[in-house]
Amino acid sequence: MEPFDHKTEFTLTQPPHPDWTPPHSQKLPHPFSKDRETFVKSSDLSAGEMYKMLISSVVPRPIALVSTCSKDNTGAPVNIAPFSYFNLVCHDPPTLMVSINYSRGNQKTPSETFRRQHFVESANHTSIPVPYEIEEDKLSGLTLVPSTYIKPKRVQESLVSFECRLSHCHLIQNAKGETSTGVVFGEVLGFTVKDGVWDPETKQIDMRLYKPVSRLGGNNYGRTESGYEIMRPTI
């Protein structure tokens, strides 16, 4: 295994086929034969097998490092856990979603942050299966500081932290009628961002400084080292 290269910087390149132009009948080269493929029925796979298939094919996935606290002040003051079943829902109102797998005994309600390369080892350590009353920040070396609008504290090491209010939760049941997952929607009330990472003029995050980490299959994670720009077509 190669050592981690801390000097790698985010760069923009040309798209894979910069000379391609419409019409769409002009086929782009494809590395696999369209005639050699297999259909797999979902019910033929166990839950564990389907999990492996999904997390290795739907990639890369952003990771939310979520801090929560109990509504009635019972249990630990703040819990932290990473979730890769996570994404945007819409921008008006600004809403995020995270799916919480009940089968792993984790039924926390999400509130705030993204996970980044700068502290990925500490963030990963928050996934340790400890009792609810154990505070993961004490185990991971992360720093919790007060949020602006919400009760759960935020992770100070995060370059961007979203403070969310629960919009609603949708429970999903499996074939046995058991609740397997809770899909939680949170409205973004505001965010804290490290100076220099967000451009207040363009309202965009600088990828060169942000260094996002993505979840791949198994225990593998990805770095965003390069990107390319493709303009949206117009009529």
Side-chain angles (χ1 to χ4, degrees):
M1 186 177 296
E2 294 293 324
F4 190 88
D5 185 1
H6 289 274
K7 297 181 180 180
T8 299
E9 298 291 339
F10 178 80
T11 58
L12 282 175
T13 70
Q14 290 184 332
H17 307 95
D19 297 329
W20 183 86
T21 57
H24 297 292
S25 58
Q26 182 181 343
K27 301 292 186 182
L28 288 170
H30 197 283
F32 296 96
S33 169
K34 65 179 181 180
D35 299 322
R36 299 181 61 182
E37 53 191 24
T38 302
F39 175 78
V40 180
K41 192 176 180 180
S42 296
S43 58
D44 290 340
L45 300 181
S46 67
E49 291 171 335
M50 180 58 75
Y51 172 77
K52 292 179 180 178
M53 168 60 183
L54 290 177
I55 69 164
S56 62
S57 59
V58 184
V59 293
R61 298 189 308 283
I63 310 165
L65 181 61
V66 180
S67 66
T68 60
C69 65
S70 60
K71 185 176 181 179
D72 55 2
N73 292 319
T74 61
V78 178
N79 282 102
I80 309 171
F83 293 89
S84 66
Y85 285 179
F86 160 76
N87 220 311
L88 296 173
V89 176
C90 61
H91 67 276
D92 186 18
T95 304
L96 306 176
M97 63 76 62
V98 63
S99 294
I100 303 171
N101 192 327
Y102 277 46
S103 64
R104 295 189 175 188
N106 192 344
Q107 301 181 28
K108 303 174 184 178
T109 304
S111 61
E112 55 108 2
T113 90
F114 283 127
R115 174 168 168 184
R116 296 296 165 253
Q117 175 178 303
H118 309 80
F119 58 100
V120 66
E121 290 86 359
S122 292
N124 182 65
H125 201 68
T126 64
S127 65
I128 186 172
V130 295
Y132 181 78
E133 63 271 11
I134 300 298
E135 300 175 28
E136 287 84 359
D137 62 306
K138 303 293 193 301
L139 304 175
S140 63
L142 295 173
T143 308
L144 290 174
V145 295
S147 298
T148 301
Y149 290 121
I150 62 175
K151 183 178 177 181
K153 295 181 179 180
R154 62 182 178 86
V155 177
Q156 189 178 44
E157 286 81 1
S158 294
L159 282 95
V160 179
S161 297
F162 291 102
E163 297 186 21
C164 297
R165 174 177 59 199
L166 178 65
S167 296
H168 60 279
C169 178
H170 176 69
L171 302 182
I172 296 178
Q173 295 183 332
N174 60 23
K176 298 178 182 178
E178 303 168 335
T179 298
S180 60
T181 302
V183 183
V184 181
F185 297 86
E187 180 180 351
V188 179
L189 302 179
F191 58 89
T192 300
V193 59
K194 292 288 188 287
D195 290 346
V197 177
W198 182 61
D199 187 333
E201 295 294 328
T202 64
K203 304 297 189 291
Q204 291 186 337
I205 296 292
D206 189 337
M207 288 295 107
R208 295 171 300 175
L209 301 176
Y210 200 34
K211 300 182 184 297
V213 172
S214 60
R215 180 75 188 275
L216 306 177
N219 292 319
N220 298 324
Y221 295 84
R223 305 169 64 183
T224 305
E225 299 178 350
S226 66
Y228 47 83
E229 183 179 58
I230 299 181
M231 303 304 293
R232 291 191 179 188
T234 58
I235 297 176

